[in-house]
Amino acid sequence: MAKLKDVVAVTGKYKDKEGNDKAKYTNCGAIIESNGKQYLVMEVMPAPVVGKDGIPKWFLHLYEPQEHVAKPAPKPQGGDDFGDEKIPF
């Protein structure tokens, strides 16, 4: 089973440090090939966009597959938010 494409949807917007509008992407699945046939495998189904005709539509992008490396969670700085306060139980 070979992964041919990543299936990606725009699921939001945000502003970068310079104030530019950027799109937030969510990986929804993949196009794979198995036994000479191609398949669409969806792991996440984004909310549809409802057009003027009232029919829901999904706009998905196909990108070359990328190896995604998980970033380690940042280590907490300092202590908790309670300071030296004692918890009474």
Side-chain angles (χ1 to χ4, degrees), residues 2-63:
K3 184 176 183 181
L4 303 176
K5 298 283 185 179
D6 283 329
V7 178
V8 180
V10 175
T11 56
K13 295 180 182 179
Y14 69 96
K15 292 193 182 285
D16 64 9
K17 292 179 182 178
E18 289 80 36
N20 301 316
D21 289 330
K22 297 286 185 174
K24 178 183 175 190
Y25 295 92
T26 300
N27 192 345
C28 299
I31 302 288
I32 62 169
E33 185 172 5
S34 180
N35 299 324
K37 296 180 181 178
Q38 293 183 1
Y39 299 92
L40 169 64
V41 179
M42 297 295 292
E43 297 171 355
V44 175
M45 195 64 181
V49 175
V50 179
K52 292 180 181 179
D53 56 4
I55 298 173
K57 297 173 174 74
W58 289 266
F59 294 91
L60 303 171
H61 304 267
L62 301 177
Y63 292 110

Side-chain angles (χ1 to χ4, degrees), residues 82 84-89:
F82 298 110
D84 292 335
E85 184 179 332
K86 298 282 186 194
I87 299 176
F89 53 89

